[in-house]
Amino acid sequence: AAGVIQSPRHLIKEKRETATLKCYPIPRHDTVYWYQQGPGQDPQFLISFYEKMQSDKGSIPDRFSAQQFSDYHSELNMSSLELGDSALYFCASSLSGINNEQFFGPGTRLTVL
Amino acid sequence: QKEVEQNSGPLSVPEGAIASLNCTYSDRGSQSFFWYRQYSGKSPELIMFIYSNGDKEDGRFTAQLNKASQYVSLLIRDSQPSDSATYLCAVNLRSNTGKLIFGQGTTLQVKP
């Protein structure tokens, strides 16, 4: 079965640079979520989109922005990167509805030097 | 107090034993509950979900939910060394957006 696709899988950036992470949800899934997981921590919700509209926002810095496109893929744009942004970034997708299961992509490991 | 709490462990069980993982949550209006397994450096993998009070079984896994006690658990029967991982409890709060709040995870070690 098709899974969530994320690219790139690894990314190394310098401080103050920008990064763009991409997510392609499972076909027919209309909702995308972004999570950040720091070393030894649990995943933290950043932002979600349903039918190309932002549906919820969590602890996402103002330096970050995201959107969902007409083909349902999503991009997380990160600017003015800081050392503390180094983490695993996961995208998950689901069908809409509060009880629908979220399936996670393999993640993008971002390292900020 | 965190919204979702788990004992970080490690929980160590011998191969073939039953592993019992527990999770409590603070929001009484929480709607749905998920158990994810995560190997180091990998993404969370959905194991079980439960919405209603009681037990739900899937193979070697049983999820138990008690909304009155705000408690959800995962039982793993016939534990295998390959079950050694971090188990994350995730809760969908009363909002209708689907975002998950995770516990800090319990590390399970299954010893041969």
Side-chain angles (χ1 to χ4, degrees):
Chain A
V4 177
I5 297 172
Q6 289 188 248
S7 66
R9 295 292 306 277
H10 302 272
L11 193 57
I12 299 176
K13 291 286 185 179
E14 300 277 345
K15 282 194 305 183
R16 293 180 289 276
E17 286 191 320
T18 61
T20 298
L21 280 54
K22 296 185 178 182
C23 169
Y24 297 84
I26 293 171
R28 292 184 297 281
H29 280 192
D30 52 16
T31 307
V32 168
Y33 311 82
W34 286 96
Y35 294 86
Q36 176 192 58
Q37 187 175 28
Q41 298 181 357
D42 52 281
Q44 296 290 314
F45 171 75
L46 293 177
I47 195 167
S48 62
F49 293 88
Y50 164 65
E51 286 290 344
K52 293 151 279 185
M53 298 289 289
Q54 181 181 306
S55 55
D56 203 349
K57 193 172 182 180
S59 50
I60 183 170
D62 292 340
R63 300 177 289 107
F64 295 6
S65 64
Q67 57 182 323
Q68 186 180 32
F69 295 86
S70 58
D71 63 352
Y72 293 99
H73 94 273
S74 178
E75 295 184 3
L76 177 65
N77 298 293
M78 311 160 72
S79 63
S80 302
L81 288 169
E82 302 174 356
L83 296 178
D85 295 330
S86 296
L88 274 167
Y89 290 83
F90 293 110
C91 171
S93 74
S94 75
L95 292 169
S96 58
I98 193 170
N99 288 336
N100 284 320
E101 307 91 79
Q102 292 180 32
F103 297 91
F104 281 69
T108 294
R109 180 175 294 280
L110 172 66
T111 302
V112 181
L113 302 176
Chain B
Q1 181 189 6
K2 281 178 65 73
E3 292 170 292
V4 180
E5 299 218 40
Q6 297 179 254
N7 187 324
S8 61
L11 172 66
S12 183
V13 300
E15 183 174 356
I18 296 175
S20 178
L21 305 162
N22 304 314
C23 173
T24 58
Y25 58 95
S26 60
D27 188 343
R28 188 170 291 276
S30 297
Q31 302 279 348
S32 50
F33 309 85
F34 303 85
W35 284 99
Y36 285 86
R37 177 173 62 195
Q38 187 175 32
Y39 295 106
S40 181
K42 303 297 185 182
S43 63
E45 173 192 0
L46 182 63
I47 299 175
M48 293 281 295
F49 56 91
I50 187 166
Y51 311 135
S52 304
N53 275 329
D55 295 359
K56 179 181 179 183
E57 186 174 319
D58 184 0
R60 296 187 297 115
F61 300 97
T62 299
Q64 299 175 316
L65 175 61
N66 184 325
K67 288 188 176 181
S69 300
Q70 295 174 238
Y71 175 91
V72 58
S73 66
L74 179 70
L75 300 178
I76 306 175
R77 289 180 298 280
D78 188 24
S79 296
Q80 301 297 308
S82 58
D83 294 327
S84 299
T86 296
Y87 288 80
L88 295 164
C89 172
V91 176
N92 195 328
L93 303 181
R94 67 178 69 213
S95 73
N96 61 358
T97 62
K99 73 177 182 185
L100 296 178
I101 305 299
F102 285 85
Q104 68 267 43
T106 297
T107 300
L108 174 65
Q109 298 174 346
V110 181
K111 298 192 173 180

